[in-house]
Amino acid sequence: MTTVQAGSARIIDGSAVAKAIREEVKGEASALAARGVQPGLAVVLVGDDPASAVYVRSKGKACEEAGMRSETIRMPATTTQAELLAVVDRLNADPLTHGILVQMPLPKQIDPQAVILRIDPAKDVDGFHPVNSGKLFSGDLSGFIPCTPLGVRELLLRHGIETQVANAVVIGRSTIVGRPMAALLLLAGKGGDATVTVCHSRTRDLEGHLKKANIVIAAIGRREMITGDMLKPGAVVIDVGMNRVDDPTTKSGTRLYGDVHYPSASAVASWITPVPGGVGPMTIAMLLKNTITAATRVAAR
Ligand code: NDP
């Protein structure tokens, strides 16, 4: 993997790794198609949240580029829970659909947990169903793992970053990022075996924990909260944060910031992920990978 110098830290180029994974996925998709199974992902978008619409479009495009079948189901913001569950039931029964993703957040009248519970765990490529999170937390890798922490694991593995015997601090305890990230770092074997501390908004002395951390995973949702002076020199810093703020000086009118203050952190860290171009591109790459896994299991039946 090529690296670029930034401050003293080497940059973990998530865009390059994601591109490589998407190429691998393309090869696997064409091998499956030759066996008569074209991997298929269905994405359900309820309502008209502009950010969600962008994510859904890019997921569909990524699928098509990888030679996979993609179906996007758009439903109005007034959709009832029963109507959405009926769509999930249809997709659960559809043999052409190997992966199902219901884009979050959902409108207020729909209970997201009821929707997650309805998705067939064998098609739950987001890895949010309790059957899949239960497997991960019991150290069983036969389920699906949420795409963002799985992408972080892949970045660490592909850069030869040693997690064994490391003190890892995960900041954030969400079911989407923080908790599954901690569970992955706790697994026995390569990419795991870390001593893991999970911090959150009620943690006392976050800095005290960070000063002992060889690996820091920031999944907070607070722009540039982690600064270089809070880190142990030589730490590996993975910034999951995506904080979009208005910026009229840019073409899009917005700018993306991480949870880590990049200029100060990159002067102290040994490795660091930039935002954008770090963890972000890995999420879609791992979604494709999970869909391939789901289709491969069907092909093997
Ligand atoms: P959540 O809001 O669900 O969780 C944030 C976590 O950070 C919570 O556990 C919260 O603690 C903790 N936290 C908040 N403030 C502090 C603080 N001052 N000190 C310590 N901990 C704090 O967010 P997500 O996990 O969904 O996402 C986290 C970030 O990652 C966001 O910026 C999001 O946009 C980004 N993200 C990026 C993805 C990607 O593809 N790159 C994918 C998913 C998310 P508590 O539980 O106590 O409230």
Side-chain angles (χ1 to χ4, degrees), residues 244-257:
R244 196 168 284 286
V245 298
D246 290 338
D247 183 345
T249 67
T250 66
K251 207 171 141 201
S252 64
T254 64
R255 191 183 289 276
L256 197 61
Y257 289 90

mmCIF file of all heavy atoms in Angstrom, residues 244-257:
data_model
loop_
_atom_site.group_PDB
_atom_site.id
_atom_site.type_symbol
_atom_site.label_atom_id
_atom_site.label_comp_id
_atom_site.label_asym_id
_atom_site.label_seq_id
_atom_site.Cartn_x
_atom_site.Cartn_y
_atom_site.Cartn_z
ATOM 1 N N ARG A 244 -20.857 17.507 8.406
ATOM 2 C CA ARG A 244 -20.955 18.391 7.233
ATOM 3 C C ARG A 244 -21.394 19.775 7.693
ATOM 4 O O ARG A 244 -22.387 19.908 8.409
ATOM 5 C CB ARG A 244 -21.963 17.803 6.232
ATOM 6 C CG ARG A 244 -21.852 18.411 4.860
ATOM 7 C CD ARG A 244 -22.645 17.637 3.822
ATOM 8 N NE ARG A 244 -22.011 16.393 3.394
ATOM 9 C CZ ARG A 244 -20.953 16.319 2.596
ATOM 10 N NH1 ARG A 244 -20.401 17.412 2.123
ATOM 11 N NH2 ARG A 244 -20.450 15.150 2.256
ATOM 12 N N VAL A 245 -20.623 20.789 7.315
ATOM 13 C CA VAL A 245 -20.984 22.161 7.718
ATOM 14 C C VAL A 245 -21.064 23.049 6.476
ATOM 15 O O VAL A 245 -20.399 22.788 5.467
ATOM 16 C CB VAL A 245 -19.958 22.754 8.727
ATOM 17 C CG1 VAL A 245 -19.903 21.956 10.012
ATOM 18 C CG2 VAL A 245 -18.583 22.855 8.116
ATOM 19 N N ASP A 246 -21.901 24.082 6.572
ATOM 20 C CA ASP A 246 -22.044 25.013 5.449
ATOM 21 C C ASP A 246 -20.725 25.735 5.220
ATOM 22 O O ASP A 246 -20.060 26.137 6.176
ATOM 23 C CB ASP A 246 -23.142 26.051 5.763
ATOM 24 C CG ASP A 246 -24.518 25.398 5.760
ATOM 25 O OD1 ASP A 246 -24.646 24.333 5.124
ATOM 26 O OD2 ASP A 246 -25.436 25.936 6.401
ATOM 27 N N ASP A 247 -20.356 25.846 3.949
ATOM 28 C CA ASP A 247 -19.147 26.584 3.597
ATOM 29 C C ASP A 247 -19.332 27.158 2.194
ATOM 30 O O ASP A 247 -19.169 26.460 1.190
ATOM 31 C CB ASP A 247 -17.927 25.650 3.651
ATOM 32 C CG ASP A 247 -16.635 26.397 3.368
ATOM 33 O OD1 ASP A 247 -16.692 27.534 2.853
ATOM 34 O OD2 ASP A 247 -15.562 25.844 3.661
ATOM 35 N N PRO A 248 -19.692 28.445 2.128
ATOM 36 C CA PRO A 248 -19.971 29.040 0.807
ATOM 37 C C PRO A 248 -18.747 29.120 -0.094
ATOM 38 O O PRO A 248 -18.876 29.354 -1.299
ATOM 39 C CB PRO A 248 -20.489 30.451 1.154
ATOM 40 C CG PRO A 248 -20.138 30.683 2.588
ATOM 41 C CD PRO A 248 -19.893 29.371 3.239
ATOM 42 N N THR A 249 -17.538 28.892 0.457
ATOM 43 C CA THR A 249 -16.336 28.974 -0.396
ATOM 44 C C THR A 249 -16.150 27.704 -1.231
ATOM 45 O O THR A 249 -15.307 27.666 -2.120
ATOM 46 C CB THR A 249 -15.051 29.206 0.448
ATOM 47 O OG1 THR A 249 -14.819 28.037 1.242
ATOM 48 C CG2 THR A 249 -15.164 30.446 1.342
ATOM 49 N N THR A 250 -16.915 26.634 -0.938
ATOM 50 C CA THR A 250 -16.755 25.406 -1.723
ATOM 51 C C THR A 250 -17.824 25.336 -2.817
ATOM 52 O O THR A 250 -18.868 26.006 -2.704
ATOM 53 C CB THR A 250 -16.896 24.141 -0.836
ATOM 54 O OG1 THR A 250 -18.243 24.082 -0.357
ATOM 55 C CG2 THR A 250 -15.941 24.160 0.341
ATOM 56 N N LYS A 251 -17.571 24.491 -3.814
ATOM 57 C CA LYS A 251 -18.490 24.350 -4.945
ATOM 58 C C LYS A 251 -19.848 23.811 -4.467
ATOM 59 O O LYS A 251 -20.903 24.272 -4.898
ATOM 60 C CB LYS A 251 -17.861 23.378 -5.956
ATOM 61 C CG LYS A 251 -18.313 23.608 -7.380
ATOM 62 C CD LYS A 251 -17.488 22.773 -8.343
ATOM 63 C CE LYS A 251 -18.401 22.230 -9.429
ATOM 64 N NZ LYS A 251 -17.847 21.070 -10.109
ATOM 65 N N SER A 252 -19.803 22.831 -3.548
ATOM 66 C CA SER A 252 -21.045 22.198 -3.083
ATOM 67 C C SER A 252 -21.763 23.054 -2.025
ATOM 68 O O SER A 252 -22.910 22.801 -1.697
ATOM 69 C CB SER A 252 -20.735 20.834 -2.471
ATOM 70 O OG SER A 252 -19.927 21.022 -1.320
ATOM 71 N N GLY A 253 -21.062 24.050 -1.467
ATOM 72 C CA GLY A 253 -21.657 24.875 -0.414
ATOM 73 C C GLY A 253 -21.501 24.276 0.978
ATOM 74 O O GLY A 253 -21.963 24.848 1.964
ATOM 75 N N THR A 254 -20.874 23.098 1.050
ATOM 76 C CA THR A 254 -20.642 22.468 2.362
ATOM 77 C C THR A 254 -19.226 21.917 2.415
ATOM 78 O O THR A 254 -18.581 21.747 1.379
ATOM 79 C CB THR A 254 -21.617 21.300 2.631
ATOM 80 O OG1 THR A 254 -21.377 20.270 1.674
ATOM 81 C CG2 THR A 254 -23.074 21.728 2.604
ATOM 82 N N ARG A 255 -18.752 21.640 3.630
ATOM 83 C CA ARG A 255 -17.445 21.010 3.799
ATOM 84 C C ARG A 255 -17.578 19.913 4.853
ATOM 85 O O ARG A 255 -18.338 20.072 5.818
ATOM 86 C CB ARG A 255 -16.418 22.056 4.237
ATOM 87 C CG ARG A 255 -14.981 21.542 4.176
ATOM 88 C CD ARG A 255 -14.003 22.589 4.691
ATOM 89 N NE ARG A 255 -13.852 23.726 3.795
ATOM 90 C CZ ARG A 255 -13.025 23.772 2.741
ATOM 91 N NH1 ARG A 255 -12.266 22.724 2.464
ATOM 92 N NH2 ARG A 255 -12.941 24.835 1.990
ATOM 93 N N LEU A 256 -16.840 18.829 4.629
ATOM 94 C CA LEU A 256 -16.909 17.679 5.534
ATOM 95 C C LEU A 256 -15.735 17.711 6.510
ATOM 96 O O LEU A 256 -14.584 17.872 6.088
ATOM 97 C CB LEU A 256 -16.869 16.395 4.693
ATOM 98 C CG LEU A 256 -17.319 15.106 5.355
ATOM 99 C CD1 LEU A 256 -18.775 15.191 5.789
ATOM 100 C CD2 LEU A 256 -17.141 13.940 4.380
ATOM 101 N N TYR A 257 -16.035 17.574 7.804
ATOM 102 C CA TYR A 257 -14.988 17.512 8.826
ATOM 103 C C TYR A 257 -15.118 16.199 9.586
ATOM 104 O O TYR A 257 -16.220 15.683 9.779
ATOM 105 C CB TYR A 257 -15.145 18.656 9.836
ATOM 106 C CG TYR A 257 -14.794 20.020 9.280
ATOM 107 C CD1 TYR A 257 -15.773 20.801 8.674
ATOM 108 C CD2 TYR A 257 -13.493 20.510 9.361
ATOM 109 C CE1 TYR A 257 -15.458 22.051 8.166
ATOM 110 C CE2 TYR A 257 -13.168 21.762 8.854
ATOM 111 C CZ TYR A 257 -14.156 22.534 8.257
ATOM 112 O OH TYR A 257 -13.842 23.760 7.747
#
